[in-house]
Amino acid sequence: MQIRRSLEVILREFEEGNETGEVSVIQKICDESNLKHFSYVAVSPLAAQNSKPHILHNYSPEWERCYWENNFLEIDPVLKLGFKSLMPLDWRSVRQISATNNDFFNQANELGVGNVGITIPIRGPNGDKGILSFSTHEKESYWDMYLKENLPHINLIAYHLHRIVQQTNMPSMADIKMGRRELEVLQWLARGKSKQDVADILGISVHTVKTYTESARFRLNALNTTHAVSKAISLSLIHPTHWSY
Amino acid sequence: MIYIVQKDQSDGWEKYLREMHALRSAIFSDRLGWEVKVRDGLEIDEFDNQNPLYVLSIGDDGQLLGSLRLLPTTGPNMLEDVFPVLLGDHGSVRSPLIWEASRFCVATHRSKEFSRNMLSHVTSELLIGLFEIGKLAGLSAVVGVHDANFKRILQRAGWREEIIGTPTRIGKVKAFAGLFPIDDVELQKLRDNSGIYQSVLNSNVHASRLAA
């Protein structure tokens, strides 16, 4: 069983569509390919702290309600592992990691998500990340064959979906222009120096260091200095050389 | 045996990762004289902060025998961010089906076994492991930057390479950027040349179900 819709067609449909367009493009792929469900979640290091992750899915209202009522956001192993991995995650392997994971997938299966599934981690160039999952009700042996045949295609679909969503919804690196001094200050703060130390190292006043920190915080849409430093690191704007094991 | 360790999920692997950074220092700084940053005997660069996937060859006695590092070309990677000069007119390599391999190294003093093609057994194991991981991840190719020595090793292993861009002198080293296809024909060649026919991946690889 192959995903029949060619990438070329899918890309054209992505490019033409708006947000509901993206959902309907993925829905069409599912319908044609014996896949029941999909979900896509994206986070950007540039998004404001209180903004929600970008989510698209076609799960049943029952599963959605169950998910939020039980606060599954806290334990969802697909979210937990997907954003930290490079290898695609086969849900059967994720189940085996813990009893909590196993229970989670059992409940999901009962509410129609499917007994088998796969999650593709996606990495973008600006520190942005996403995961795309497909799931269905299928015999395991068939699912193995299905993945073997379609995994590269699924990788491509995941990447392009992410790219389109990022273009439409997320701020990009191009929107962030950091000054040289701002970066220098963050760099030293990332190495654990105090503001006074940074002032001494750079030969400027503490007041000036505070001003640069504040403007960097503002540009990065960060809550405080620590948050600004961690965002700058995840965006590869600075590279702390200090290492601890 | 090949183990894969995701940097951001490496609890319990600290000892091996430390050994890997020490081995990288011994090979790339001490032996090859590359201009890499070494601190406290450990070679670590900014791409180690990008949550790479490490591929480790570990002997039956638990010793680290060799390693390499994988990064997706869709995120920050060396070819794009450090060696764009190599790409020349080729433009950038950015595809969800291509990962970048870097920091390939073997502890030659600890690996006395050779495979059929007279390459160190560890070298063959790492190359086949890289290939098997590529299949599990649904990739079409791996891209890497290497010098003339390593190019000869790859030729002996039999993995077809498509040179991209223009070979360029970087520091003391003439550097090549190559694309290595992941398909069944190439895997068979690697297996025939090395005599390694069974899977080299440890079965705890979390995506191992995909291998079926």
Side-chain angles (χ1 to χ4, degrees):
Chain A
M1 182 63 187
Q2 252 182 312
I3 296 181
R4 270 173 300 183
R5 191 161 288 251
S6 78
L7 189 68
E8 203 183 322
V9 173
I10 294 168
L11 287 183
R12 200 170 52 234
E13 289 174 347
F14 273 150
E15 301 282 357
E16 284 164 2
N18 49 25
E19 189 167 309
T20 36
E22 284 145 19
V23 171
S24 66
V25 173
I26 304 282
Q27 183 65 54
K28 262 191 256 175
I29 296 170
C30 287
D31 294 344
E32 289 176 355
S33 327
N34 288 5
L35 294 167
K36 275 255 163 19
H37 291 289
F38 72 87
S39 67
Y40 165 80
V41 184
V43 292
S44 160
L46 286 171
Q49 180 70 10
N50 54 0
S51 73
K52 290 202 178 114
H54 196 87
I55 303 175
L56 309 172
H57 72 87
N58 70 345
Y59 293 135
S60 68
E62 291 78 24
W63 173 239
E64 214 182 337
R65 197 173 329 115
C66 170
Y67 193 97
W68 295 114
E69 277 171 8
N70 291 296
N71 200 17
F72 279 163
L73 211 50
E74 298 289 321
I75 63 148
D76 186 343
V78 168
L79 289 179
K80 265 192 184 165
L81 291 175
F83 285 101
K84 281 191 192 170
S85 299
L86 287 182
M87 295 297 277
L89 302 171
D90 188 309
W91 290 4
R92 290 169 298 177
S93 310
V94 181
R95 260 177 190 271
Q96 288 163 10
I97 295 172
S98 72
T100 321
N101 289 2
N102 198 41
D103 291 346
F104 174 83
F105 283 113
N106 282 343
Q107 290 194 58
N109 188 21
E110 275 166 32
L111 294 178
V113 173
N115 63 320
V116 286
I118 183 137
T119 298
I120 307 292
I122 310 154
R123 280 205 204 175
N126 304 324
D128 48 301
K129 287 177 189 168
I131 51 174
L132 177 66
S133 305
F134 285 111
S135 58
T136 195
H137 299 279
E138 202 45 85
K139 270 200 219 128
E140 293 198 12
S141 54
Y142 179 88
W143 183 240
D144 285 328
M145 270 167 40
Y146 186 88
L147 287 181
K148 217 173 168 183
E149 187 119 338
N150 292 301
L151 195 54
H153 207 78
I154 293 175
N155 278 342
L156 287 165
I157 292 169
Y159 176 70
H160 287 289
L161 170 68
H162 181 73
R163 194 175 54 82
I164 298 289
V165 171
Q166 289 290 305
Q167 272 169 11
T168 358
N169 298 293
M170 301 280 181
S172 80
M173 190 85 137
D175 301 331
I176 298 241
K177 296 261 187 298
M178 301 284 288
R180 180 176 61 87
R181 276 301 201 194
E182 288 167 357
L183 289 175
E184 276 174 358
V185 168
L186 287 184
Q187 179 89 45
W188 285 111
L189 292 173
R191 292 180 192 174
K193 299 289 182 196
S194 70
K195 292 201 170 93
Q196 181 64 57
D197 292 338
V198 180
D200 294 342
I201 292 165
L202 298 177
I204 53 182
S205 73
V206 177
H207 178 77
T208 311
V209 170
K210 282 181 182 160
T211 309
Y212 284 130
T213 314
E214 178 52 29
S215 63
R217 188 192 67 74
F218 177 76
R219 286 181 205 264
L220 289 164
N221 205 358
L223 290 175
N224 51 40
T225 309
T226 315
H227 191 207
V229 167
S230 80
K231 278 193 162 184
I233 293 172
S234 62
L235 282 163
S236 306
L237 292 170
I238 59 170
H239 303 288
T241 49
H242 178 77
W243 265 72
S244 56
Y245 271 95
Chain B
M1 180 67 57
I2 296 291
Y3 294 78
I4 65 176
V5 179
Q6 187 78 49
K7 169 73 189 301
D8 283 3
Q9 299 169 48
S10 57
D11 289 355
W13 288 91
E14 293 84 354
K15 172 176 122 18
Y16 280 111
L17 293 193
R18 192 171 236 292
E19 268 186 48
M20 175 193 72
H21 288 297
L23 175 64
R24 279 166 43 175
S25 170
I27 301 289
F28 297 112
S29 177
D30 303 348
R31 190 190 299 168
L32 297 174
W34 289 10
E35 288 159 16
V36 290
K37 273 177 275 171
V38 173
R39 192 185 162 117
D40 301 330
L42 306 176
E43 187 270 308
I44 294 167
D45 70 8
E46 63 262 40
F47 297 99
D48 292 303
N49 287 335
Q50 299 289 346
N51 186 18
L53 194 65
Y54 295 120
V55 179
L56 308 179
S57 168
I58 297 176
D60 296 337
D61 57 356
Q63 287 226 63
L64 180 74
L65 301 177
S67 64
L68 63 91
R69 178 176 70 181
L70 290 171
L71 285 161
T73 56
T74 54
N77 63 85
M78 296 189 86
L79 194 53
E80 181 83 11
D81 301 319
V82 180
F83 300 122
V85 60
L86 288 177
L87 292 174
D89 297 337
H90 190 276
S92 68
V93 176
R94 197 177 274 291
S95 161
L97 303 188
I98 303 175
W99 285 1
E100 176 188 79
S102 58
R103 296 293 193 263
F104 189 114
C105 59
V106 172
T108 36
H109 60 289
R110 283 188 216 141
S111 35
K112 306 284 184 213
E113 261 183 82
F114 291 88
S115 44
R116 193 184 283 169
N117 49 17
M118 293 312 289
L119 288 176
S120 153
H121 177 77
V122 178
T123 303
S124 301
E125 192 180 67
L126 278 170
L127 289 173
I128 290 176
L130 174 54
F131 206 107
E132 290 184 18
I133 290 165
K135 294 278 277 185
L136 286 179
L139 306 183
S140 66
V142 170
V143 70
V145 176
H146 49 268
D147 63 6
N149 274 324
F150 195 64
K151 191 168 160 52
R152 275 192 294 277
I153 289 177
L154 289 164
Q155 275 165 353
R156 180 170 285 189
W159 201 340
R160 179 165 56 84
E161 173 182 14
E162 183 197 326
I163 295 283
I164 51 177
T166 323
T168 307
R169 190 161 290 281
I170 294 175
K172 288 192 265 180
V173 189
K174 188 168 187 192
F176 301 82
L179 206 56
F180 300 89
I182 298 209
D183 60 46
D184 292 335
V185 176
E186 294 302 313
L187 178 58
Q188 197 55 45
K189 261 173 28 192
L190 283 187
R191 291 202 185 284
D192 288 343
N193 286 340
S194 65
I196 302 177
Y197 288 99
Q198 70 283 35
S199 169
V200 298
L201 295 185
N202 176 271
S203 56
N204 286 335
V205 171
H206 59 232
S208 59
R209 287 296 205 120
L210 286 171

